[in-house]
Amino acid sequence: MSIKLVSSTKSFGGTQSVYTHESAACNCEMKFAVFTPPKENHGAGPFPVLYWLSGLTCTEENFITKSGFQRVAAELGLVIVAPDTSPRGTSVPDDPEEAYDFGLGAGFYLNATEEPWSEHYQMYDYITRELPELIEKEFPVDGSRAGIFGHSMGGHGAMTIHLKNPDKFKTCSAFAPIVAPAQVPWGEKAFSNYLGSDTTKWADYDATELVAKRPSKAEILIDQGTADNFLVDQLRPELFATAATKAGQKFTLRMQDGYDHSYYFISTFIGDHLRWHAARL
Amino acid sequence: MSIKLVSSTKSFGGTQSVYTHESAACNCEMKFAVFTPPKENHGAGPFPVLYWLSGLTCTEENFITKSGFQRVAAELGLVIVAPDTSPRGTSVPDDPEEAYDFGLGAGFYLNATEEPWSEHYQMYDYITRELPELIEKEFPVDGSRAGIFGHSMGGHGAMTIHLKNPDKFKTCSAFAPIVAPAQVPWGEKAFSNYLGSDTTKWADYDATELVAKRPSKAEILIDQGTADNFLVDQLRPELFATAATKAGQKFTLRMQDGYDHSYYFISTFIGDHLRWHAARL
């Protein structure tokens, strides 16, 4: 379990790096990005750590080049980890039509049970176990102060992973998350392929189903743009809000007027999210 | 001279848009990006305007997706215009070897005099005349409060354009600029093709030559990373510093320890540059 440096760049006094390693969970080489804050301001750590899960089509690059998170992470003294969104490589199967919403770039942060996906698409184990172990071993982080957040498919990942592991990922927030994958086209396509046609198995990866059964003690922050093209058909935050309210899950859903699904939306509010997590870790 | 909207996205309360139009100067369709600040904070304008010139390989997209400038531009109430770096289209010739440092994506903000480049590569006229006229007609800007800044090849563009048009582009700053193109490989390749082998004609597009003859009354801000791979062979800010000092040009050259040539460097200091311009416009 050794990591290999791909690139390292100074940013806001800290260091933005990308690494590769051989993932046992995904049975292939995986990439992830890590930002470490400036030593001058914060010492050598250990630091609280946040895991960012990206959306469909993304790699470990999108968040670190487009969100501008480094400014506030440097200020607050946070380590930020941004993994890739799926296994990759010549041996990893993709959607037969190479669609953007399934296969490569669309791992949905679950453990696939169906062939041919199950051999590599084990993103749930990767994100919840293998990656944190590696991060806690190799970087100056305090694993007892960890949170998780993400965008769209990554918001789905963050919310489901938090709800199932509230002691490991203590804080949670999301931008324009898929909150009820079992009820929307993106989730139906991915889950039927990765998990099979028995929809009772889907509930384990559906934030709206999960929150009904196991609300966490944390307060979940959700930002959702009102001009998001995917709001009505794919995201449907009201489904989570209703279930969370019923279950006693604390949450804040902010409908952000005029914002779309892009990184322009994320960059506008990323500072708020980092401060939200930092105040609670 | 009409413009066509390509995209419009809310960002930090303002609007980040991209437009196309038929350029008379470049004799082809050109794209540019415009950010307008939030009306709620700043009213309807007119606003001071800054022109950002990007570096080699860039389009109008790089700066608006990677620098994070919108946060501070929204705060200060600035309009920011980011044009493409060269003419484009099937009729526009490129480097025969499609190299990154000449031809498409590498217009060098000059008026080419040599065939086949002269038909479209008229970026100096485009940036100094056609584009500002269009911007002042179509957007809520005060053309008497205009500045210019850029990165690398675009820093070269910003500095030469400011020095030749100090009353039109009153403020100037640059990230890792090419300051002496006539003396470095990038400039030698581009200038010999665009302007021909008579090197006396090159001086008109060389900031180090220009500042010796016509220093401006403004103070030019330059940020340069010490870990920039192009510092020694291509950028050489000391050449400009020496000439500027001799000519009485006010400037601040900040050597930024450990930063490279990337947008991680730009995003770290873009806020400083916007405040620098805003304070002087």
Side-chain angles (χ1 to χ4, degrees):
Chain A
M1 234 174 49
S2 72
I3 59 175
K4 203 167 85 180
L5 185 67
V6 176
S7 65
S8 180
T9 312
K10 194 166 177 181
S11 173
F12 287 94
T15 305
Q16 181 61 66
S17 302
V18 175
Y19 295 86
T20 58
H21 71 118
E22 286 299 325
S23 164
C26 293
N27 193 20
C28 64
E29 189 176 87
M30 292 291 287
K31 275 190 184 172
F32 62 88
V34 177
F35 176 79
T36 52
K39 286 200 182 68
E40 305 84 68
N41 303 351
H42 301 287
F47 304 104
V49 57
L50 295 180
Y51 293 85
W52 169 266
L53 305 183
S54 288
L56 291 167
T57 78
C58 288
T59 69
E60 76 290 345
E61 279 290 317
N62 302 65
F63 182 64
I64 68 173
T65 56
K66 292 185 169 181
S67 75
F69 79 84
Q70 291 92 349
R71 184 179 63 89
V72 177
E75 177 197 322
L76 299 174
L78 300 171
V79 168
I80 311 287
V81 181
D84 200 351
T85 57
S86 79
R88 308 261 179 191
T90 49
S91 69
V92 177
D94 191 11
D95 182 289
E97 292 168 0
E98 297 180 18
Y100 77 97
D101 57 359
F102 175 66
L104 298 183
F108 274 84
Y109 307 104
L110 52 71
N111 289 337
T113 54
E114 304 301 295
E115 293 292 342
W117 315 106
S118 52
E119 189 185 346
H120 297 287
Y121 286 81
Q122 300 292 323
M123 289 296 289
Y124 180 80
D125 281 353
Y126 179 67
I127 300 294
T128 60
R129 286 210 281 269
E130 186 176 16
L131 185 61
E133 277 175 30
L134 195 61
I135 295 295
E136 289 166 31
K137 179 175 153 234
E138 301 278 356
F139 299 91
V141 305
D142 176 356
S144 74
R145 289 190 291 160
I148 194 161
F149 62 155
H151 174 227
S152 195
M153 174 183 75
H156 142 74
M159 291 166 70
T160 54
I161 286 170
H162 164 70
L163 289 169
K164 290 158 80 170
N165 306 272
D167 297 328
K168 173 75 192 163
F169 300 96
K170 293 189 166 72
T171 55
C172 176
S173 74
F175 292 83
I178 304 171
V179 300
Q183 300 182 54
V184 304
W186 278 340
E188 287 164 359
K189 178 178 178 180
F191 284 12
S192 61
N193 280 285
Y194 290 137
L195 302 173
S197 55
D198 176 2
T199 57
T200 59
K201 287 158 60 181
W202 298 9
D204 199 36
Y205 294 109
D206 184 298
T208 298
E209 298 272 1
L210 285 167
V211 78
K213 280 178 261 170
R214 46 202 291 180
S216 78
K217 285 175 185 152
E219 180 176 355
I220 297 173
L221 171 64
I222 301 174
D223 270 323
Q224 172 63 57
T226 63
D228 187 323
N229 286 336
F230 303 111
L231 174 55
V232 175
D233 292 335
Q234 304 279 10
L235 305 175
R236 305 182 66 184
E238 73 284 0
L239 296 176
F240 180 80
T242 302
T245 302
K246 202 168 159 185
Q249 171 73 51
K250 284 182 283 183
F251 69 96
T252 296
L253 170 58
R254 307 194 302 190
M255 297 302 292
Q256 301 287 7
D257 184 52
Y259 286 90
D260 71 5
H261 200 65
S262 72
Y263 267 91
Y264 291 112
F265 162 57
I266 296 171
S267 63
T268 301
F269 299 106
I270 193 69
D272 289 0
H273 283 240
L274 294 179
R275 293 184 203 288
W276 171 282
H277 287 269
R280 288 161 177 78
L281 288 171
Chain B
M1 233 172 54
S2 71
I3 60 175
K4 202 166 85 180
L5 184 67
V6 175
S7 65
S8 179
T9 312
K10 193 164 177 180
S11 172
F12 288 95
T15 305
Q16 181 61 66
S17 303
V18 175
Y19 294 86
T20 59
H21 72 118
E22 286 299 325
S23 164
C26 293
N27 193 20
C28 64
E29 188 176 87
M30 292 291 287
K31 274 189 185 172
F32 62 89
V34 177
F35 176 78
T36 51
K39 286 200 181 68
E40 305 83 71
N41 303 349
H42 301 287
F47 304 105
V49 56
L50 296 180
Y51 293 84
W52 170 267
L53 305 182
S54 287
L56 291 167
T57 78
C58 288
T59 69
E60 76 290 345
E61 280 290 317
N62 303 65
F63 183 63
I64 67 173
T65 55
K66 293 184 170 181
S67 74
F69 80 84
Q70 291 93 347
R71 184 179 63 88
V72 177
E75 176 197 322
L76 299 175
L78 300 172
V79 168
I80 311 287
V81 180
D84 200 351
T85 56
S86 77
R88 307 263 178 190
T90 50
S91 67
V92 176
D94 191 11
D95 182 289
E97 292 167 0
E98 297 179 18
Y100 77 97
D101 58 358
F102 174 65
L104 298 182
F108 273 84
Y109 306 103
L110 53 70
N111 289 336
T113 54
E114 302 302 296
E115 292 292 342
W117 316 105
S118 53
E119 188 185 346
H120 297 285
Y121 287 81
Q122 300 293 322
M123 289 296 290
Y124 181 79
D125 281 353
Y126 179 68
I127 300 294
T128 59
R129 285 210 282 269
E130 185 176 16
L131 185 61
E133 277 175 29
L134 196 61
I135 295 296
E136 289 166 30
K137 180 175 153 235
E138 301 278 357
F139 300 91
V141 304
D142 176 355
S144 75
R145 291 190 291 160
I148 194 161
F149 62 155
H151 173 227
S152 196
M153 175 183 74
H156 141 74
M159 291 166 71
T160 54
I161 286 171
H162 164 70
L163 289 169
K164 290 158 80 171
N165 306 271
D167 297 329
K168 172 77 192 162
F169 301 95
K170 292 189 166 73
T171 55
C172 177
S173 74
F175 292 83
I178 305 171
V179 300
Q183 300 183 55
V184 304
W186 278 341
E188 287 165 358
K189 178 177 178 181
F191 284 12
S192 61
N193 280 285
Y194 289 137
L195 303 173
S197 55
D198 177 2
T199 57
T200 60
K201 287 157 60 181
W202 298 9
D204 199 36
Y205 294 109
D206 185 297
T208 298
E209 297 272 359
L210 284 167
V211 77
K213 280 179 261 170
R214 46 201 293 180
S216 78
K217 285 174 186 153
E219 181 176 355
I220 297 172
L221 171 63
I222 301 173
D223 269 323
Q224 171 63 58
T226 63
D228 187 323
N229 286 334
F230 303 112
L231 174 55
V232 175
D233 292 334
Q234 304 280 9
L235 304 175
R236 305 182 65 184
E238 72 285 0
L239 295 176
F240 179 80
T242 302
T245 302
K246 202 168 159 186
Q249 171 74 52
K250 285 182 283 181
F251 69 96
T252 296
L253 170 58
R254 307 194 302 188
M255 297 304 291
Q256 301 287 8
D257 184 51
Y259 286 90
D260 70 5
H261 200 65
S262 72
Y263 267 91
Y264 292 111
F265 163 56
I266 297 171
S267 63
T268 301
F269 299 105
I270 193 69
D272 288 0
H273 283 240
L274 293 179
R275 293 183 203 287
W276 171 281
H277 286 270
R280 288 161 176 78
L281 288 172

